[in-house]
Amino acid sequence: MGERKSGKSSEKKPVQKTGVTLSDIAKAMGLSAMTVSRAFTGSEQISEKTKQEVLKCAKELGYVPNRWARSLVTRRSSIIGVLIPEISHTYFAEVTCGVEEIVDKTGFDLLLCHSRGDAEKERAEIHMLIGTRADGLIIASVQDSKTERPFAELEDAGIPFVLVDRFFPNRRFSSVLVDDLEVGEIATNHLIDMGHRLIAHIQGPPVTPAVLRRRGYLSAMKAHGLPVDKEWMIGKDFSNQNGYVSMRKLLQLKPRPTAVFAANDPLAIGAVRACREAGFRVPEDISVVGAGSIEGDHNPNPFLTTVWWPNQEMGRAAAELLMKAIAESDGGETHIRTFAPKLLVRHSSGPAPTK
Amino acid sequence: MGERKSGKSSEKKPVQKTGVTLSDIAKAMGLSAMTVSRAFTGSEQISEKTKQEVLKCAKELGYVPNRWARSLVTRRSSIIGVLIPEISHTYFAEVTCGVEEIVDKTGFDLLLCHSRGDAEKERAEIHMLIGTRADGLIIASVQDSKTERPFAELEDAGIPFVLVDRFFPNRRFSSVLVDDLEVGEIATNHLIDMGHRLIAHIQGPPVTPAVLRRRGYLSAMKAHGLPVDKEWMIGKDFSNQNGYVSMRKLLQLKPRPTAVFAANDPLAIGAVRACREAGFRVPEDISVVGAGSIEGDHNPNPFLTTVWWPNQEMGRAAAELLMKAIAESDGGETHIRTFAPKLLVRHSSGPAPTK
DNA sequence: AACTGACTCGTTAGCGTTAACGCGTCTGGA
DNA sequence: TCCAGACGCGTTAACGCTAACGAGTCAGTT
């Protein structure tokens, strides 16, 4: 067995598999480990000269300080946990991107965790993050009001956290929100303004944002004296598939709705697909409005009329709240930042058919 | 000056800010720390009875094992680093999602790092990940062939890694790829089949995938004896904005191209936008084909004709390669898996205008 | 009765790093 | 000349955990 790399090596030293340590380079330089440590921690108690020498020697030997040994004694991991249902949802990807921007700037790193929409998995991940001694958490929770237990654990562990787009009325947690009630109202009002009266709603799962958007839909309809048939509210999760299936059902109703407010964009896109397959034109025959559009350069969808809000900025805001909570470590106050949604009129909505 | 923690404490125990430790519950139960440890590590050297008692007591006291203390002695962090340009690109989000799926299943966690397309930042993150003693890395690198230095560092540190969609011909690294040459050919051939002859190409940045797609475009054109004007190849990065700007320039050429192959979907969407703004219809006047479509339920784009490949599955494949490399720790062999792209004909491409 | 071996549990030593303190050396001012 | 104080470095003792070995108990075997 040939050694693949003999390092700097003195004589035999088979393979330094474990990696170079502080005391390795301390010995090599005839210094104490402490002095070497000081060269890396930015301590004042070391002369500039030896500091440079140490850094140089460390580089040659390929030494990189062991983060965990350090954080064990420092009691800070410099790790922020991000706990979301799934990163492939563009919405969460953009929030996460905003979080990363701030967090990276402050010298922390991101541990990415998926709850996959499962409250129990979320709980397990929180537990894991406590074990990881994360310095803080950003959570897009799938817990409902009855299962706040995981958050209590976090508080016991003294780990600050900020919720994204989830609000628990009975308990104040720091959070960053969109006004989801307004989302529902804006979308619905737009359709009403275009002359629609038979407006259906494809809803999401029973989490706060979806519930509020639905409530906004209902409130807008009511405000205009428009009746809402129970069959017009349909759907059970945020998937494209659900949008497709729900729309197919809606198309069979009579009278057939002339417009649909879908609780998010994937739902809306699924709905559009169902309409077209069934031979209806969008928006000439049926108008569709989504919600939660993606921003930025990467994946714009130029077709769908939708209600937009600044995902990435919300991520930044959440991270800023968290950074402040960590820095001040008061742990006491909770802050809530709410963002206003905005209607983006594009090409999937139009005037109600005159028929 | 108040003592922040009086150890195990006898009477008052103000706030155990530091968190409960192994020996805390060892003392509480009259056991040794080792026995308690065994209850958590799944060791055989403990009776089922005491194990359950320990677990129960730990739960009551809110004890969670300190991951870093553990990994310090274990020499395994159970952390996989994912180093990508930016998670808000749906492409990387989906790859990451696939990675997470496998990695989570195997008991690892993901440290998410952004290179932001900057080779130097990427290098810094790799350095950080070495310090973190990550057990393995998945990298969508922005290094070019001349700057492989970071990878050498990884090899020295004995950290296995798998590259995603980057290939370094002069050096064999384990990697997962799409056949980008074929991507370019498929897209271009499709347009040629539709009768187009004046086909332009909006290209990406000078990284391997973009270069290969362009080469595929050229090869397809050449194979059909079609000339390529230098002005038809334009563009410098993967952004939507670049697609828009480049298309505007292409529209002013005479003769004006009747079709465009854009190196990825954001480019294509930007191009479509430019066409429409200038009063051209897509696909009646101009056909546009993208590449790298997103899959899954969340963000389908039902309009764009594009070349597709299985992002999420590629992520899974990369993670599986990495898991194997970690488990076997041979570190020797390198594996390369290539995925075939597939044309998705939708509504942004059509027959060449007869003029 | 003595021996073997399986089971449980404890003891000793670190893993690689930093906090806190201590000890020389050198400088400058009275 | 002497001493305060700054400066640069070393020593000791953790941080919370587990590997490796060792010791005690109890059953079954010879």
Side-chain angles (χ1 to χ4, degrees):
Chain A
M1 65 154 244
E3 34 182 338
R4 68 200 55 179
K5 185 213 164 204
S6 45
K8 178 278 233 338
S9 95
S10 37
E11 53 256 352
K12 267 176 290 183
K13 183 191 313 190
V15 188
Q16 50 189 19
K17 206 46 178 176
T18 318
V20 194
T21 73
L22 259 192
S23 61
D24 281 339
I25 81 170
K27 272 173 209 154
M29 299 188 64
L31 286 172
S32 77
M34 195 59 231
T35 306
V36 178
S37 169
R38 280 194 260 257
F40 285 93
T41 49
S43 162
E44 300 293 322
Q45 312 185 52
I46 185 176
S47 73
E48 189 59 28
K49 180 165 162 289
T50 59
K51 179 172 174 177
Q52 292 307 331
E53 287 171 1
V54 167
L55 256 35
K56 178 156 167 282
C57 173
K59 190 163 199 170
E60 281 167 8
L61 270 64
Y63 167 74
V64 187
N66 185 316
R67 176 179 195 157
W68 308 129
R70 177 178 285 179
S71 74
L72 189 58
V73 42
T74 306
R75 292 166 185 294
R76 307 189 359 137
S77 62
S78 299
I79 281 203
I80 300 298
V82 170
L83 181 42
I84 56 178
E86 210 172 278
I87 194 70
S88 63
H89 290 56
T90 310
Y91 166 61
F92 294 117
E94 297 199 333
V95 170
T96 302
C97 194
V99 169
E100 199 272 350
E101 187 183 328
I102 300 302
V103 150
D104 182 57
K105 203 178 292 176
T106 327
F108 291 79
D109 293 299
L110 242 50
L111 204 63
L112 180 67
C113 310
H114 281 184
S115 65
R116 302 191 183 284
D118 174 2
E120 191 47 44
K121 176 100 192 297
E122 180 178 302
R123 192 176 139 66
E125 294 291 344
I126 286 180
H127 203 252
M128 180 279 286
L129 285 163
I130 293 176
T132 303
R133 303 297 191 266
D135 290 335
L137 264 55
I138 304 271
I139 311 177
S141 179
V142 296
Q143 308 290 333
D144 56 44
S145 315
K146 287 150 225 142
T147 58
E148 297 173 7
R149 204 163 75 258
F151 302 134
E153 282 187 57
L154 279 176
E155 289 178 326
D156 286 354
I159 300 179
F161 60 98
V162 175
L163 299 180
V164 176
D165 208 10
R166 302 295 137 120
F167 181 63
F168 295 91
N170 40 341
R171 196 129 171 212
R172 284 181 67 84
F173 297 127
S174 283
S175 31
V176 171
L177 311 158
V178 265
D179 190 333
D180 280 300
L181 197 71
E182 201 181 337
V183 169
E185 288 175 348
I186 288 180
T188 311
N189 282 333
H190 166 64
L191 292 168
I192 294 174
D193 289 349
M194 303 286 272
H196 294 274
R197 299 182 59 81
L198 308 178
I199 305 173
H201 173 52
I202 302 182
Q203 64 199 7
V207 292
T208 335
V211 170
L212 287 176
R213 284 171 214 172
R214 172 179 147 149
R215 201 177 294 167
Y217 157 76
L218 287 170
S219 117
M221 293 295 275
K222 188 170 181 183
H224 289 78
L226 296 175
V228 173
D229 194 297
K230 272 193 184 143
E231 290 179 310
W232 292 359
M233 292 185 303
I234 191 173
K236 58 188 194 312
D237 62 47
F238 271 147
S239 74
N240 178 269
Q241 184 61 20
N242 183 37
Y244 177 79
V245 172
S246 301
M247 191 70 219
R248 286 179 65 97
K249 289 185 189 154
L250 290 174
L251 289 175
Q252 288 168 357
L253 297 180
K254 30 194 131 162
R256 178 172 46 71
T258 64
V260 173
F261 160 48
N264 76 352
D265 275 9
L267 286 175
I269 293 170
V272 170
R273 187 158 51 91
C275 290
R276 287 184 173 152
E277 273 188 19
F280 295 98
R281 290 166 304 163
V282 178
E284 291 82 355
D285 303 319
I286 297 176
S287 286
V288 176
V289 176
S293 172
I294 52 194
E295 69 183 319
D297 270 357
H298 311 311
N299 312 287
N301 187 322
F303 173 71
L304 207 63
T305 294
T306 193
V307 182
W308 172 94
W309 56 85
N311 294 337
Q312 205 148 335
E313 193 179 330
M314 284 177 62
R316 281 194 290 264
E320 275 160 3
L321 283 185
L322 188 62
M323 295 295 99
K324 230 176 72 176
I326 292 174
E328 301 177 355
S329 75
D330 53 358
E333 314 166 41
T334 67
H335 301 267
I336 296 190
R337 273 198 65 182
T338 305
F339 287 77
K342 194 178 125 192
L343 181 69
L344 291 187
V345 179
R346 293 189 289 206
H347 309 290
S348 69
S349 64
T354 48
K355 183 157 45 178
Chain B
M1 67 154 242
E3 35 180 339
R4 69 198 56 180
K5 183 209 166 210
S6 45
K8 177 280 249 311
S9 91
S10 32
E11 55 263 356
K12 268 175 293 188
K13 166 179 341 183
V15 190
Q16 52 188 19
K17 214 23 182 191
T18 319
V20 194
T21 73
L22 257 192
S23 61
D24 281 339
I25 80 170
K27 274 174 206 152
M29 297 189 64
L31 285 173
S32 77
M34 195 58 232
T35 306
V36 178
S37 169
R38 281 194 261 256
F40 285 93
T41 49
S43 162
E44 299 293 320
Q45 313 186 51
I46 185 176
S47 72
E48 190 59 30
K49 181 165 160 289
T50 58
K51 180 173 173 177
Q52 293 306 329
E53 287 172 3
V54 166
L55 258 34
K56 179 158 167 280
C57 174
K59 190 164 199 173
E60 280 166 9
L61 270 65
Y63 167 75
V64 188
N66 184 317
R67 176 180 196 155
W68 308 130
R70 177 178 286 179
S71 75
L72 189 57
V73 42
T74 305
R75 293 166 185 294
R76 308 190 358 138
S77 62
S78 298
I79 281 202
I80 300 299
V82 170
L83 181 42
I84 55 178
E86 210 172 278
I87 193 70
S88 62
H89 290 55
T90 310
Y91 166 60
F92 294 118
E94 297 199 334
V95 170
T96 303
C97 195
V99 169
E100 199 272 349
E101 187 184 326
I102 300 302
V103 149
D104 183 56
K105 203 178 293 177
T106 328
F108 291 80
D109 294 298
L110 243 51
L111 203 65
L112 180 68
C113 309
H114 281 184
S115 64
R116 301 191 183 286
D118 174 3
E120 191 46 45
K121 176 99 191 299
E122 179 178 300
R123 193 177 138 67
E125 295 291 344
I126 287 180
H127 204 253
M128 181 278 286
L129 284 163
I130 292 176
T132 304
R133 302 298 191 267
D135 290 335
L137 264 57
I138 304 272
I139 311 177
S141 177
V142 297
Q143 309 289 333
D144 56 44
S145 315
K146 288 151 224 139
T147 58
E148 297 172 10
R149 206 163 72 259
F151 302 134
E153 282 188 57
L154 279 176
E155 289 179 325
D156 286 354
I159 300 179
F161 60 98
V162 175
L163 299 180
V164 176
D165 208 11
R166 301 297 135 120
F167 181 63
F168 295 92
N170 39 340
R171 196 129 170 211
R172 283 182 68 83
F173 296 128
S174 283
S175 32
V176 171
L177 311 158
V178 264
D179 189 333
D180 279 301
L181 196 71
E182 202 182 336
V183 169
E185 289 175 348
I186 288 180
T188 311
N189 282 334
H190 166 64
L191 292 168
I192 295 173
D193 289 349
M194 303 286 271
H196 295 273
R197 299 183 58 83
L198 308 179
I199 305 173
H201 174 51
I202 302 182
Q203 64 199 8
V207 291
T208 335
V211 170
L212 288 177
R213 285 172 213 171
R214 170 177 148 152
R215 202 176 295 167
Y217 156 77
L218 288 170
S219 118
M221 294 293 276
K222 188 170 180 185
H224 288 80
L226 296 175
V228 173
D229 195 296
K230 274 197 184 141
E231 291 180 311
W232 292 358
M233 292 185 302
I234 190 172
K236 58 188 193 315
D237 61 47
F238 271 147
S239 73
N240 178 270
Q241 183 61 21
N242 183 37
Y244 178 80
V245 172
S246 301
M247 190 71 221
R248 286 179 65 99
K249 288 184 190 152
L250 290 174
L251 288 175
Q252 288 167 359
L253 297 181
K254 31 195 133 163
R256 176 173 45 73
T258 64
V260 173
F261 161 48
N264 76 353
D265 275 9
L267 286 175
I269 292 171
V272 169
R273 186 158 50 92
C275 290
R276 287 185 173 150
E277 274 187 19
F280 295 98
R281 290 166 305 163
V282 177
E284 290 83 355
D285 302 319
I286 298 176
S287 286
V288 176
V289 176
S293 172
I294 51 194
E295 68 182 321
D297 271 357
H298 310 309
N299 310 288
N301 187 320
F303 173 71
L304 206 63
T305 293
T306 192
V307 183
W308 171 94
W309 56 85
N311 295 337
Q312 206 148 335
E313 193 180 329
M314 285 176 62
R316 281 194 291 264
E320 274 160 5
L321 283 185
L322 187 61
M323 296 295 99
K324 229 176 72 177
I326 292 174
E328 300 176 356
S329 75
D330 53 359
E333 313 165 40
T334 66
H335 302 267
I336 297 191
R337 273 198 65 182
T338 306
F339 287 78
K342 195 179 123 191
L343 181 69
L344 290 187
V345 179
R346 292 188 291 206
H347 309 289
S348 68
S349 64
T354 49
K355 182 156 50 179

